[in-house]
Amino acid sequence: MQTMSNPSRGIFALPRSARGFTLLELLVVLVIIGLLVAYVAPRYFSQVGKSEVKATRAQIRALEDALDQYRLDVGRYPTGEQGLEALNAQPAGEARWQGPYLRKSVPKDPWGNPYQYRAPGEHGEYDLLSLGKDGQPGGTGEAADIASWQ
């Protein structure tokens, strides 16, 4: 049987190297992690907003390409009543339609809102836009409208 060098520590005492962390040490680590999160999170989330705007612009360009192909085949852009759905499903009475012009259904913008399509448009033969994060006309920042004519 081993003898204990410090009898006041008791039978179940562990050597100092095997005891673990004190509550104060754990609190200091949590405060440091909290400070790092407070510093990094706003920078990260601002980048997420920028990437959604870039993705919206890329989707608008892809829809414009599909609309241009539709125009080459049919001779005009889809009417406002036909909308963007004319890129995937042949509208009634369109004998020259050669679609579908998109591989998948018409996407929603990165915020889950449908793209706005108007033909004839105020800025050209058609207007194609996303109303931004808030889904309302106008706005600034991430809530700003993103349009094909911008």
Side-chain angles (χ1 to χ4, degrees), residues 15-98:
R16 179 152 174 79
S17 63
R19 271 194 266 158
F21 299 105
T22 65
L23 181 59
L24 182 61
E25 291 169 329
L26 289 174
L27 288 174
V28 168
V29 168
L30 288 175
V31 166
I32 291 170
I33 291 172
L35 290 171
L36 287 172
V37 167
Y39 179 74
V40 172
R43 296 176 191 275
Y44 171 75
F45 287 113
S46 72
Q47 295 301 319
V48 170
K50 288 178 185 176
S51 68
E52 288 172 334
V53 169
K54 287 181 182 177
T56 302
R57 291 190 192 284
Q59 284 181 337
I60 286 176
R61 279 192 300 275
L63 289 171
E64 286 178 315
D65 290 344
L67 286 165
D68 289 341
Q69 185 63 45
Y70 179 98
R71 182 175 180 245
L72 288 172
D73 290 345
V74 176
R76 61 171 179 74
Y77 290 108
T79 65
E81 293 79 33
Q82 291 170 331
L84 295 175
E85 292 75 27
L87 298 174
N88 280 332
Q90 183 173 3
E94 295 293 351
R96 295 178 11 193
W97 188 86
Q98 298 294 313

Side-chain angles (χ1 to χ4, degrees), residues 105-118:
S105 63
V106 177
K108 292 189 182 281
D109 70 15
W111 301 282
N113 302 315
Y115 283 99
Q116 305 296 308
Y117 175 77
R118 293 183 288 254

Side-chain angles (χ1 to χ4, degrees), residues 107-131:
K108 292 189 182 281
D109 70 15
W111 301 282
N113 302 315
Y115 283 99
Q116 305 296 308
Y117 175 77
R118 293 183 288 254
E122 297 174 11
H123 303 276
E125 293 184 65
Y126 65 86
D127 291 347
L128 178 62
L129 67 142
S130 164
L131 297 177

